[in-house]
Amino acid sequence: MRSRTTFVRALRQCLESFQGQSARASAGAHAGQVAKGSAQTAARAVEIDTQAFPWKTVGLAAAGATLMAPTSQSACAPATEAPATSAPIDLSHAGMEVPKSQRTVVFVLGGPGSGKGTQCAKLVEEFGLVHLSAGDLLRAHMKSGTPDGQMVADMIKDGKIVPSHVTISLLDKAMADSGRKAFLIDGFPRNEENRAAFEKQTQIQPAFILFFDCPEKEMEKRLLGRNEGRSDDNIDTIRKRFKVFLESSMPVINHYKEQGKLRSITADRPQDTIYTEVRKLFQEISV
Ligand SMILES: Nc1ncnc2c1ncn2[C@@H]1O[C@H](COP(=O)(O)OP(=O)(O)OP(=O)(O)O)[C@@H](O)[C@H]1O
Ligand SMILES: Nc1ccn([C@@H]2O[C@H](COP(=O)(O)O)[C@@H](O)[C@H]2O)c(=O)n1
């Protein structure tokens, strides 16, 4: 089983290999923006470029980071605007696949509208982790014209959980395409089937689970006010999603609680107050 120590080691390795550079890769986050919400942003999850920013932040950020990718550049494009540096370059950022055994994952869970995507965007901004939202990847997939796209669209509209093999394939591909090692996986695993299939297929155990604990009333208010044109942000589907969360996702959260891996955050507070607590979890492991 992969431990917290392993997570720290992986992050340190990244840190060491990226001194002098900062980077950021995200499933849907521009700096300072909320990560969720559109197929376009999800598509960016797998578009990582190798251009380097000057060193900006400390800790995991340094570990991290590749830039948000301009869509015209391939993952293997040379670092045309990189500042001069004698620091070693991690080839994982140049399009080479990182071995699955070196991947480190934090699952980000919580009810619909609990603020997972919002807080992930802040973590991406500060720590440079790769944010992969399962929902965003599925929404992009449903628009991709593939044969199961309509099935995924119907299931999302109905608040149902898409078969694990579809979601895991998308996550696995996004992880591989990123060329990176440390991931925030948001909205996954949603049920026991998701959890067991991910472990079996990837052999990855999460470092820990970041859980946003939020009352339904508050989540409902947020979802109804989100206004991103999502097919499932209507009161009928929202109620179905709450039911699925209680019946299918809570057992997964309880499983990780029993394993001592749950880091629970009270989520019906202002975003910045929440983030102050969230970031400490990641600072702890970056020192
Ligand atoms: N702490 C907060 N207080 C008030 N509103 C918030 C807070 N955090 C997020 N929001 C808002 O609530 C809405 C839902 O947030 P977000 O998309 O981050 O939730 P989520 O858990 O990722 O949802 P989903 O699982 O449905 O994708 C957004 O409009 C966001 O701006
Ligand atoms: N592991 C998952 C994650 C999501 N879905 C489907 O997507 C919908 C939206 O998810 P968000 O995390 O963006 O709220 C969700 O209601 C499911 O229909 C899934 O099937 N499996």
Side-chain angles (χ1 to χ4, degrees), residues 34 36 110-119 133 139 186 190 218 222-223 225-226 228 230 232-233 241 267-271 274:
V34 172
K36 315 261 308 210
S114 58
K116 301 179 294 295
T118 301
Q119 295 296 322
S133 156
R139 278 184 286 278
D186 162 3
R190 271 308 219 275
E218 173 66 17
R222 291 181 190 175
L223 293 173
R226 182 155 56 181
E228 287 179 356
R230 277 176 54 163
D232 56 351
D233 278 353
R241 290 159 72 196
D268 55 337
R269 296 179 293 167
Q271 291 182 19
I274 294 168

Side-chain angles (χ1 to χ4, degrees), residues 45-59:
V46 293
E47 293 168 1
I48 311 299
D49 96 17
T50 54
Q51 191 181 30
F53 277 150
W55 177 273
K56 199 172 122 202
T57 46
V58 194

Side-chain angles (χ1 to χ4, degrees), residues 117-133:
T118 301
Q119 295 296 322
C120 283
K122 293 175 187 290
L123 287 167
V124 167
E125 168 73 3
E126 181 172 10
F127 296 107
L129 298 165
V130 181
H131 172 210
L132 300 176
S133 156

